[in-house]
């Protein structure tokens, strides 16, 4: 059995202590990096969900007006855009009361202008919404923490399906209901170069029948 000697104390040497401290420090750094990466991934997932929810809100807002109203072909006729080509940067709809709803992309925002029937029937369109303080005003639909990168409206049919042509006895747009396909890209309002846009698309068919 070995005897205790004051000249050979038991325990860790200085070198061993330094090695242990170095290993412990490296382990701590690796664990901290893993934790930060997981946290960042969770934040990005939450941000992506927020952007997706914001995009779906915009789609549902537009879909409601198309579904309960109809495409305002009169607006496109006044703009000399008939037959309607695709895609369009502006969507004009009209509800059962004759009120006009005009959507457009302005910068990084989605804007909506509502022109009451008494204005819309009198020729109201974008000019009414560009107005002086007495006319309809544009309302921002997007939230402040998000921005709209792309917006396109694909409108079908290209001609008003409820307009009857007495010369050939046919309806201009055929026997189909107006439908609009909306394509948009949303992202967070941030300067992060790694931020990815969310692309959403939906097709809405008008429920109004005017023949």
């Amino acid at each position: 059995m070995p005897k205790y000697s004051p000249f050979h104390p038991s325990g860790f040497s200085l070198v061993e202590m330094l090695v242990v401290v170095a290993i412990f420090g490296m382990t701590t750094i690796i664990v901290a990096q893993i934790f930060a990466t997981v946290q960042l991934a969770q934040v990005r997932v939450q941000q992506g969900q927020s952007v997706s929810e914001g995009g779906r809100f915009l789609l549902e807002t537009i879909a409601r007006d198309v579904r309960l109203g109809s495409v305002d072909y009169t607006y496109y006729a006044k703009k000399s855009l008939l037959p309607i080509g695709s895609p369009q940067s502006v969507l004009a709809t009209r509800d059962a009361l004759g009120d006009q709803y005009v959507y457009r992309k302005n910068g990084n925002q989605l804007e909506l202008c509502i022109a009451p029937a008494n204005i819309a029937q009198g020729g109201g369109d974008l000019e009414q919404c560009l107005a002086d303080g007495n006319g309809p005003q544009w309302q921002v639909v997007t939230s402040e923490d998000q921005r709209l990168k792309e917006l396109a409206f694909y409108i079908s049919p290209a001609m008003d399906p409820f307009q009857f042509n007495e010369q050939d006895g046919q309806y201009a747009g055929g026997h189909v209901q107006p439908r609009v396909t909306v394509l948009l890209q949303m992202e967070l309002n941030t300067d992060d170069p790694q931020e990815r846009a969310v692309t959403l698309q939906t097709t809405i068919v008008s429920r109004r029948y005017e023949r």
Side-chain angles (χ1 to χ4, degrees):
M1 183 175 179
K3 297 182 179 180
Y4 171 77
S5 172
F7 301 101
H8 299 285
S10 61
F12 294 106
S13 67
L14 178 61
V15 174
E16 290 173 332
M17 289 293 295
L18 291 176
V19 171
V20 170
V21 170
I23 294 175
F24 180 77
M26 291 177 61
T27 303
T28 302
I29 293 174
I30 293 173
V31 171
Q33 289 178 340
I34 294 174
F35 179 76
T37 301
V38 172
Q39 288 289 96
L40 179 60
Q42 290 179 342
V43 170
R44 291 194 178 279
V45 169
Q46 293 174 352
Q47 290 174 342
Q49 292 176 343
S50 175
V51 172
S52 296
E53 291 174 358
R56 285 193 292 269
F57 170 77
L58 298 185
L59 287 180
E60 183 54 35
T61 300
I62 298 172
R64 179 193 59 213
D65 292 334
V66 175
R67 191 179 299 117
L68 300 180
S70 186
V71 175
D72 186 6
Y73 286 90
T74 303
Y75 165 84
Y76 297 98
K78 291 177 181 178
K79 296 292 183 181
S80 301
L81 295 175
L82 291 181
I84 301 175
S86 291
Q88 290 289 318
S89 59
V90 175
L91 174 65
T93 67
R94 197 179 294 271
D95 66 12
L97 299 177
D99 295 341
Q100 187 182 60
Y101 293 74
V102 183
Y103 289 91
R104 73 174 184 185
K105 180 179 181 292
N106 185 18
N108 293 322
Q109 297 176 328
L110 175 67
E111 293 184 336
L112 166 65
C113 179
I114 303 175
N118 60 340
I119 297 178
Q121 297 293 350
D125 49 30
L126 277 177
E127 281 71 23
Q128 295 289 345
C129 296
L130 290 171
D132 42 46
N134 297 324
Q137 299 297 309
W138 290 101
Q139 307 169 22
V140 177
V141 184
T142 44
S143 62
E144 295 181 356
D145 63 335
Q146 298 175 2
R147 59 190 176 203
L148 182 64
K149 286 193 65 177
E150 300 290 341
L151 177 66
F153 301 104
Y154 297 84
I155 302 171
S156 177
M159 299 293 291
D160 188 351
F162 305 127
Q163 182 179 6
F164 186 75
N165 189 333
E166 296 182 354
Q167 295 182 351
D168 58 12
Q170 300 290 330
Y171 286 95
H175 299 281
V176 294
Q177 285 290 99
R179 67 181 60 205
V180 179
T181 296
V182 185
L183 177 66
L184 60 81
Q185 276 191 342
M186 297 283 297
E187 66 180 7
L188 282 178
N189 192 11
T190 176
D191 296 328
D192 185 355
Q194 297 183 351
E195 181 61 35
R196 295 183 178 180
V198 175
T199 301
L200 298 172
Q201 176 179 320
T202 189
T203 298
I204 317 106
V205 179
S206 171
R207 294 177 181 174
R208 287 184 59 192
Y209 189 80
E210 301 180 0
R211 293 181 183 175

